[in-house]
Structure formats: C-alpha cells, structure tokens
Amino acid sequence: SGRIWRVVPKGAELQEPPKIAGASVADLLENLKAREYRYRYWTRRELRERDRAEVASALDSWVAALDKNDPRLRHHQVEALWVYRGINESRPALLDELLNCDEPLARGAATQQLRHSMADVGQLAERAKDESQIVRLEAANAASYIGTRAALDAILPILDQPMGDHLKYAMTCSLGSAALLKHWQADADLK
C-alpha cells in the first residue's frame, strides 16, 4: 500500500549490496571491510549462524593476511574482534594489540570487550588512565559489567582526570549500577 523510494544524488550509481545469505565464509569476511555499517552488521549476524570452528579458522587466516599498511587496518581488526566475540572465541593477542594501538577509537572498541574478560582488571585499570575520554568511558562501562571491587578500584582514577559530559554520565551510571554501588556503599558504611 506504499512505495519504496531510493533517493540518490543526480548522476550517482546505485550500489549493489554484497551477497550475504549463501555466501562463503571467505566472502563474508571480505564484507567486513565494507564502509557501510549495515553490510558489516548483517555479515556479522550471518557469521554467528555458521559453523564456529570454520569461521574461527577462516577468521584467523583473514586477520593474519590483513595489510599492515592499510589505513583501515585497525577498523578491520576491530571487526574481527567483534566476530570472534559473536562466535564465543577470544584472541588475547589481537585484543592486546588493539588495547595498545595508537588509534583511540580502536582502543575504545577493544576496551569495550574487557567486560567479557572479568579476570583482566589490570587492563581495565590501564584504560581508565588513557588519554582518550572515549577509552575511559568504555572502561567505566566495562567495570559496571564486571561488578567486582577490583573493577571499581580500577576505574576510580577516571575521577581525577578531565571529563566531558558523556564521560561524566558514564561514570554516574557505572558507579550507580547495582554491581558497583554495593562496593562503594560498603566503604561509606565503614567510615
């Protein structure tokens, strides 16, 4: 009962969407390099439905073959990190490389993944001291998922650094989360 329109600039060519359903794992991994978020999102969803061992093996090879001089290298590595997470796999070396890279957005995306590795609060403490507010924001968010006393202690240095509105809000939410609230309230009760 309605029309679907594609609005494009004059003279522009319509883009053909990549094949996702029925595509090989290798082709799907190449989709992760697309600039369009939706294509990458649909591709990650498709990869989660495939054989986990096959995807993990192909992804290991894909990551190893990435061009180290590609200006979008960190982007591709982050996409791989998210695919690993989606198939319940981890690659600590890749995570560590991204946590310590020179691109703040990649460090932030990697910091977000720390919520899934509750044992590594040391990495969380390092991210809480990062020069980038985006990385510190992700550290605050991750701490609220981890919910331990050590996670609370790891993010407290954020309070000693400059904070924009987004980071202030993230810290307020994190410290007010039920997971962390009990730890700092217990300290207040002791005093």
Side-chain angles (χ1 to χ4, degrees):
S1 64
R3 292 186 172 96
I4 298 174
W5 299 90
R6 282 190 176 181
V7 179
V8 295
K10 287 184 180 181
E13 296 284 327
L14 287 177
Q15 184 179 28
E16 281 298 317
K19 183 176 180 183
I20 295 175
S24 70
V25 171
D27 288 342
L28 289 171
L29 293 175
E30 285 304 308
N31 287 351
L32 296 176
K33 293 180 180 179
R35 293 201 179 268
E36 295 77 21
Y37 171 77
R38 257 310 147 202
Y39 296 159
R40 297 190 317 267
Y41 172 77
W42 293 332
T43 295
R44 287 192 308 269
R45 285 185 54 132
E46 179 69 20
L47 287 167
R48 283 196 308 260
E49 301 299 319
R50 301 293 181 96
D51 179 70
R52 188 174 111 183
E54 178 188 359
V55 172
S57 175
L59 190 54
D60 288 340
S61 299
W62 186 80
V63 169
L66 289 173
D67 178 4
K68 302 297 182 202
N69 296 317
D70 184 342
R72 297 186 70 223
L73 171 67
R74 298 303 183 198
H75 170 272
H76 303 333
Q77 289 175 317
V78 166
E79 287 290 332
L81 193 65
W82 290 338
V83 173
Y84 283 124
R85 181 76 209 132
I87 61 171
N88 294 317
E89 292 281 332
S90 65
R91 295 299 182 270
L94 177 60
L95 178 62
D96 192 56
E97 181 179 344
L98 288 167
L99 286 169
N100 295 294
C101 75
D102 55 353
E103 292 187 29
L105 293 176
R107 287 196 315 272
T111 300
Q112 186 180 74
Q113 296 302 309
L114 292 177
R115 69 178 70 177
H116 303 293
S117 58
M118 296 182 186
D120 200 354
V121 178
Q123 281 283 18
L124 187 65
E126 286 300 311
R127 299 316 125 214
K129 298 176 206 161
D130 197 278
E131 65 190 31
S132 169
Q133 287 194 33
I134 291 171
V135 177
R136 295 194 312 264
L137 181 146
E138 292 297 347
N141 289 339
S144 69
Y145 282 84
I146 296 170
T148 63
R149 175 63 204 212
L152 171 63
D153 291 340
I155 64 165
L156 289 179
I158 293 173
L159 298 171
D160 299 327
Q161 300 171 67
M163 290 193 287
D165 291 340
H166 295 290
L167 182 52
K168 284 179 190 173
Y169 182 73
M171 282 300 288
T172 300
C173 291
S174 185
L175 293 175
S177 69
L180 295 182
L181 185 63
K182 62 185 175 192
H183 298 295
W184 66 264
Q185 279 186 333
D187 285 353
D189 291 343
L190 294 174
K191 292 181 180 179

